[in-house]
Amino acid sequence: MNTISPGPDLTAVRAACASVADPEFGLSIDDLGLIYDVTIDGSGVTVAMTLTTPSCPASDVMVGAVHAAVAQVPGVATVEVRLVWDPAWTPEMVSARGREQLGGR
């Protein structure tokens, strides 16, 4: 008897993304508003994210960390992390929790 494995859980994938901290701010990239979209297609996951600036020196590290975190979610077979620049990130995208962690900045 063949059984179909359930695909990855969106909540678990988003939590995996949120587990990645921006090395400069020390905040979750989710709290910084850097995760724009998560798409699940079967066992494949695509994460659309941005950075605070296109010239971010930690871009490869952050993309790699998101890829590694999402790949650990049960049911995930493939991960694609796409950097997008539209809309451009602004400080207003930081969550209320992120603002609190930054000391209300």
Side-chain angles (χ1 to χ4, degrees):
M1 173 189 270
N2 291 335
T3 58
I4 298 173
S5 300
D9 177 68
L10 179 60
T11 302
V13 172
R14 291 196 72 79
C17 292
S19 74
V20 176
D22 178 280
E24 181 180 0
F25 292 103
L27 288 180
S28 157
I29 61 172
D30 191 50
D31 281 328
L32 282 173
L34 301 181
I35 301 298
Y36 284 176
D37 189 46
V38 174
T39 304
I40 298 174
D41 185 9
S43 61
V45 176
T46 302
V47 177
M49 66 175 285
T50 197
L51 301 170
T52 56
T53 176
S55 60
C56 176
S59 62
D60 290 342
V61 170
M62 290 176 60
V63 168
V66 170
H67 188 281
V70 172
Q72 297 301 311
V73 174
V76 172
T78 62
V79 180
E80 177 186 3
V81 180
R82 293 186 308 111
L83 279 178
V84 296
W85 305 108
D86 186 30
W89 180 86
T90 65
E92 289 77 27
M93 294 176 167
V94 177
S95 71
R97 184 171 69 175
R99 290 179 206 277
E100 184 178 300
Q101 290 174 345
L102 289 171
R105 291 192 257 167

